[in-house]
Amino acid sequence: MTLAKTSGLFGVKECQIATMTADVVGSATTYAAALDVPGIKAVKFDPNVKSVDNKGDEVILDTEENTEYIDVSFENAEVSLDVIAAINGGTVTTSGTAETEKNVYMYAGTQTSSYFKLFIKPKRGDTVAGIDDVLFELFKVRGTLSVTPVSEGWATCSFKGKGIRTKGTVDSTAAALYRITYAADTITIA
């Protein structure tokens, strides 16, 4: 059976980010090891499309559309100091042992957020159509992760940012923006 190119997608079970380490024209874009974004709840991708019309003779003769960037947002249920540092900048330090041990995230106002690759895996694709796993990848994302404690409830983390095209190449594709992969077997995030 040929693998389907159309699938329903159910849930969102995994989200990871990998900090961009190099993005140079003519070279492969590279990333650090991926970090798990724990307790992913929802992810939204909203393309920003610029449209330009060529008008003449009192009509539109042609139109050109281009996806300039993608607005990205996600919400997750657990607060990871390492993920906050990777996205917002800042550092995580560990000190002490046993009862005196502390993990501390510190942000200074001069630090800037980092570009990263965003990986999203739904819980499943259409297994009847042979699609066992699905992976969304946005290659160059930047934004801010915020933490919201609430009265009588669990705190959530919320990310808002923008995905743009790479300067370098991703699997020999220049100016890559995003990729969606359907697979007959499990996809491993490298």
Side-chain angles (χ1 to χ4, degrees):
M1 177 167 98
T2 303
L3 186 65
K5 294 181 182 176
T6 302
S7 179
L9 303 175
F10 183 81
V12 56
K13 73 172 181 179
E14 191 172 349
C15 177
Q16 294 187 24
I17 63 167
T19 305
M20 181 177 280
T21 55
D23 186 30
V24 179
V25 174
S27 298
T29 301
T30 59
Y31 305 89
L35 290 171
D36 182 53
V37 177
I40 192 69
K41 296 169 102 175
V43 183
K44 183 177 180 183
F45 306 130
D46 187 13
N48 183 294
V49 179
K50 182 177 181 180
S51 180
V52 179
D53 296 331
N54 181 15
K55 296 179 181 179
D57 300 329
E58 300 294 323
V59 297
I60 295 176
L61 301 170
D62 198 358
T63 187
E64 181 72 25
E65 292 186 348
N66 182 37
T67 301
E68 290 189 317
Y69 60 88
I70 297 178
D71 282 320
V72 181
S73 61
F74 63 78
E75 186 175 294
N76 60 299
E78 295 185 9
V79 180
S80 167
L81 301 181
D82 289 331
V83 171
I84 294 171
I87 292 175
N88 293 353
T91 57
V92 176
T93 57
T94 300
S95 64
T97 57
E99 292 84 26
T100 65
E101 187 172 13
K102 293 179 186 175
N103 290 318
V104 177
Y105 166 72
M106 179 64 74
Y107 177 81
T110 58
Q111 296 162 323
T112 60
S113 59
S114 299
Y115 282 113
F116 61 88
K117 183 176 183 178
L118 177 64
F119 302 90
I120 300 293
K121 288 179 78 171
K123 184 175 181 181
R124 67 174 176 84
D126 187 346
T127 53
V128 174
I131 298 170
D132 182 60
D133 216 354
V134 177
L135 180 64
F136 288 80
E137 300 167 90
L138 274 79
F139 299 114
K140 189 174 183 179
V141 178
R142 178 182 262 170
T144 304
L145 186 67
S146 60
V147 179
T148 307
V150 295
S151 176
E152 298 183 26
W154 296 98
T156 58
C157 289
S158 300
F159 174 82
K160 288 190 180 184
K162 190 179 286 188
I164 63 173
R165 297 179 189 282
T166 61
K167 292 178 185 175
T169 60
V170 176
D171 295 336
S172 301
T173 299
L177 185 58
Y178 69 96
R179 172 170 54 201
I180 303 171
T181 304
Y182 288 175
D185 200 0
T186 302
I187 299 171
T188 302
I189 296 174

